[in-house]
Every structure is written in structure tokens, then in C-alpha cells.
Amino acid sequence: MIWEQIRSNQIRTIILVVSMGVLLLAIGYFLGLLFFANAIAGVIIAIIVWALMNLIALTQGDSILLAVSGARKISKADHPKLYNVVEEMKIASGLEKMPDVYIIDDPALNAFATGRNPQHASVAITSGLLHKLNRDELQAVIAHEIGHIRNRDVQLMVMLSVLLGSIVMISWYATRYMFFAGAGGSRQRSSSGGGGGQIIILAIGIILMILAPIAAQFIYFAVSRKREYLADASSALYTRYPEGLASALEKLASSNTRVQKANKATAPMYIINPLQKRSLSAASLTSTHPPIAERIRILRSMAGSSYADYDKAYRSAHSGAGVIPGSGLTSSSLGIREPSAENNPVEDLAGRIERTRENSNAMWQLNNYRTTDCDCGTRLRVPPDYRSLTVRCPHCGRIYPVPR
């Protein structure tokens, strides 16, 4: 267990909550002074909003993020392979509780983990990534996300996402309300010396318009890239196969399809930035993710699969300080296992066919399609909005009642 990282995430969460509170108090003070002629009233409202935001983030934040992302929970019967892989990585990581498993019906290649703590955690993966990755690569991505759960990154990310979304939403509505009030009441203010008040309204409106992007940037700066390196190291440790994640990251970088429901509040949760134009070297000063090429280079230069092996590879790439906290360097070097059969080109062709079949069946089921098997061997899939009581097989013409 990397206690230093867990403690760092706990401290960041406290700093984040306090910072957002100060920001809301400042907004409440000026809005109370402007609209109620009473700064205390505005501060009280701000405190109530701040408390509600934190309560929602701590109790329902993960559910909100999963719903916003369009993720749907599955059982082992829905997608046995995915569920088994999550179970394997749960055991390898030493997590006490199996994370809930979700699929996002999206052709983009991405995944994320969320949750209040390791006892209330979830892993979500896009259908596009399920279709593209072989078993070793899928294991590595799941292990990376479970690394975030194990290192307590998920609680910080939930707080970041929900508080950012709340601040942006409050700023958006407040800005429009002030401009509306300013336009509607301009005549009354001008007749009673309210020109100064109108200027104040416009000034605060401009400040609030600037506030939303500043809050967004705050999120990106508040989340350290170090957490991604640590999750990569955790993936190598749990799978004992660093090449699995390196290969998966290459496939993610080669796709420019963006996650349809991702936004600035949820972007830091994903294994790679879902909003940034994809390339191996893409990164900016405000990016929450290190360049993909750098992550791949470190993984492929590992001599073993332990935290110590990852830290040595990281130091070699950066010619400086390591990235793994001291408690993670106590383990000795671990060997790298052999790849699974799916990495063989011949086996991978059969694997791709099987993945397509598994993923298609899972998505039909998640989208509430009803199925019936024809005597000729055709499986008939009936959409949920189909109104007729019977369905005809397109191959042999037999007619069957629609299953209910």
C-alpha cells in the first residue's frame, strides 16, 4: 500500500473543499450585497450551497458521474469475460470488495474508475475499448483503474468533478440572472442614481464569466499527473505484464474518436484525456495526463513488474527524482510473465471474432433487445419499441411470437 499517495490525496481533498468554500463565500458576499443589500444573507446562502455540494459529492457523486457518462451496470451474465477480468485484478490488487462493473455504449476507446472509497467503487469501460483490446490489454486497463481505487484517487476525482460542475453551473446561472436584472432595472436605477449599481452588476457579471473557466483550470492544476504514473505502475504490478498497458495505450492514442458524453468536469477521470486531440505526444501545461508516448516508454523500459522496477524506469526517462513514494520501493524486483495466447496473431484473429460476438450480445442485452432463436439457426433480435406481436425470420420466413 502506498500510504504517502493516499495521505496526499486526502490532504488535496481537504484543500479542494476549503478552496471551493472560500470561492463560494466570496460570490455569496457580493451577490448578497448587490441583490439583498445584506452581505450576511448572501454568505449564509453560499454556506448552504457549499454544504449541499459537498454532501452530494460525498454521498451521490459517483452515481452522478456514472449517469452523466451514460454508463450502465452489468452483471457477470451480461459480459462474463469483462467481469472475470475485473475479478482477477481485484484479487491481484488485494481490494476487499469487488468494484461494480459498467459499460458505456460509445465507440471511443477509454475507461475510468470512480467511487467514494474502495468499498464503494466502480469501473466503467467503453464498448469501443472492449471491442479493440485483447485479454492482456484489457487486464492492464482494468488494473490501471483499480490502481486508482487502491490509491484512493477516486474520492479526490469525485470531489473535483462534482464541485467543478457545481461552480460552473452556479456561475452560469448567476451571470445570466445579473445581466437580465441589470437590463430590466436599468431605467429605475438611472433615475435614482443607480448608474453606479449598474456598473457593479456588469463588473460582477464579467468576473463570474471569467470565474467558470478559471475554476475549470483549477481542476486541471489540482490533479497531479503523478497519479497517472502511479496507476500505470500499479497496472504493471497487478498484471506482471507492463507490455499489456503499453500496447493498450498505443491503441487508445491511435483513435481520435472522442467520448460523446465527456466534459471538462469528468475528463480527469479517464485513462487518457477524452477531450484532447489524440496523439502519442499530446500534452499541455494544463493537462491532467502525461504524454502517452512517455508513459509507453517507461512501461517498455521496465526490467521487472514491481513498483521499484517502474521507479527505476521513470528515473531513467526523467534523469531525476522518482515518482513512487518510499513505501512502494520496499518490494524487490518481480519478473515479467509471458503474454497470453491472444497475443499470437493467429489466436488474435479468433479472439477478435469472439470479442465482437461477446460485445454485441452484451450491448443488445443492455439496450433491452428481446431475442428468439429460429429453427434455421438465426437469432432474431427485436428492439424494445417494436409494437407487433409477431416477428418474421428474414432467412426462412418462419413467424414467431415476440418474447415478452
Side-chain angles (χ1 to χ4, degrees):
M1 182 70 72
I2 305 180
W3 296 109
E4 291 95 328
Q5 178 65 10
I6 294 172
R7 196 159 49 241
S8 173
N9 281 335
Q10 291 171 338
I11 293 171
R12 283 183 190 154
T13 302
I14 294 172
I15 293 173
L16 172 72
V17 170
V18 172
S19 300
M20 289 296 186
V22 171
L23 180 60
L24 278 175
L25 288 176
I27 296 174
Y29 179 88
F30 288 108
L31 291 182
L33 195 64
L34 184 62
F35 292 110
F36 306 113
N38 187 339
I40 301 300
V43 169
I44 291 173
I45 293 174
I47 291 174
I48 294 173
V49 171
W50 177 69
L52 288 174
M53 284 166 50
N54 285 287
L55 181 63
I56 292 171
L58 287 171
T59 59
Q60 299 296 325
D62 52 344
S63 300
I64 292 172
L65 295 176
L66 288 165
V68 167
S69 302
R72 283 178 285 183
K73 188 176 179 179
I74 67 166
S75 65
K76 191 169 186 175
D78 295 321
H79 202 300
K81 178 180 176 180
L82 173 60
Y83 205 88
N84 287 338
V85 167
V86 177
E87 281 184 322
E88 291 169 357
M89 294 301 98
K90 175 260 182 187
I91 294 170
S93 67
L95 277 183
E96 296 179 3
K97 184 180 180 298
M98 171 79 175
D100 292 330
V101 185
Y102 286 77
I103 292 179
I104 303 170
D105 189 3
D106 194 304
L109 311 185
N110 228 313
F112 69 85
T114 187
R116 289 166 277 166
N117 51 54
Q119 287 71 43
H120 302 86
S122 305
V123 174
I125 187 166
T126 62
S127 56
L129 199 60
L130 280 173
H131 178 73
K132 193 74 173 177
L133 303 188
N134 63 37
R135 189 180 184 87
D136 283 337
E137 295 161 344
L138 180 60
Q139 269 190 338
V141 168
I142 295 299
H144 174 99
E145 299 307 331
I146 286 182
H148 281 309
I149 296 171
R150 184 74 169 162
N151 299 335
R152 305 297 203 279
D153 292 330
V154 289
Q155 183 184 31
L156 174 63
M157 298 314 301
V158 168
M159 297 295 293
L160 285 169
S161 300
V162 174
L163 293 179
L164 169 64
S166 301
I167 287 290
V168 172
M169 181 181 67
I170 291 169
S171 300
W172 191 87
Y173 280 108
T175 301
R176 277 144 188 80
Y177 177 76
M178 283 188 295
F179 276 113
F180 176 78
S186 58
R187 293 183 180 179
Q188 288 84 346
R189 292 188 186 93
S190 61
S191 63
S192 58
Q198 179 71 7
I199 293 175
I200 292 175
I201 289 176
L202 293 175
I204 294 179
I206 293 173
I207 291 172
L208 287 174
M209 282 193 297
I210 296 173
L211 187 63
I214 288 178
Q217 292 301 318
F218 175 79
I219 286 294
Y220 283 89
F221 285 124
V223 181
S224 171
R225 296 184 184 191
K226 184 178 179 180
R227 70 186 183 87
E228 289 300 326
Y229 290 122
L230 286 172
D232 286 353
S234 297
S235 175
L237 176 66
Y238 301 156
T239 63
R240 294 190 60 192
Y241 187 62
E243 175 60 28
L245 184 58
S247 178
L249 288 173
E250 279 187 329
K251 290 183 178 180
L252 268 70
S254 67
S255 171
N256 283 318
T257 304
R258 296 187 177 186
V259 180
Q260 296 173 5
K261 294 187 177 180
N263 54 55
K264 280 194 172 184
T266 60
M269 300 190 306
Y270 288 84
I271 187 171
I272 61 173
N273 193 333
L275 303 178
Q276 196 172 42
K277 186 175 180 180
R278 208 66 55 77
S279 73
L280 285 172
S281 59
S284 67
L285 293 176
T286 57
S287 176
T288 59
H289 296 73
I292 299 176
E294 179 181 314
R295 296 167 67 183
I296 294 172
R297 184 170 63 251
I298 293 171
L299 289 164
R300 285 185 170 155
S301 62
M302 292 177 67
S305 58
S306 69
Y307 283 135
D309 292 317
Y310 186 91
D311 195 67
K312 185 177 180 180
Y314 180 90
R315 289 174 185 270
S316 177
H318 288 81
S319 302
V323 71
I324 303 297
S327 60
L329 298 176
T330 57
S331 61
S332 59
S333 178
L334 293 174
I336 296 175
R337 67 168 174 82
E338 291 297 318
S340 67
E342 278 195 39
N343 273 317
N344 181 290
V346 177
E347 294 292 334
D348 189 45
L349 176 59
R352 287 199 302 270
I353 296 173
E354 182 61 25
R355 287 200 300 271
T356 300
R357 183 181 298 111
E358 287 177 339
N359 297 335
S360 296
N361 289 337
M363 298 319 301
W364 290 122
Q365 190 164 336
L366 286 177
N367 286 303
N368 298 318
Y369 274 69
R370 293 160 288 175
T371 62
T372 186
D373 292 326
C374 180
D375 292 340
C376 71
T378 302
R379 172 159 289 183
L380 307 176
R381 303 187 186 277
V382 184
D385 57 352
Y386 186 76
R387 299 303 179 190
S388 177
L389 298 178
T390 59
V391 60
R392 180 187 296 272
C393 177
H395 294 152
C396 67
R398 290 185 178 91
I399 297 176
Y400 295 90
V402 174
R404 297 296 177 184

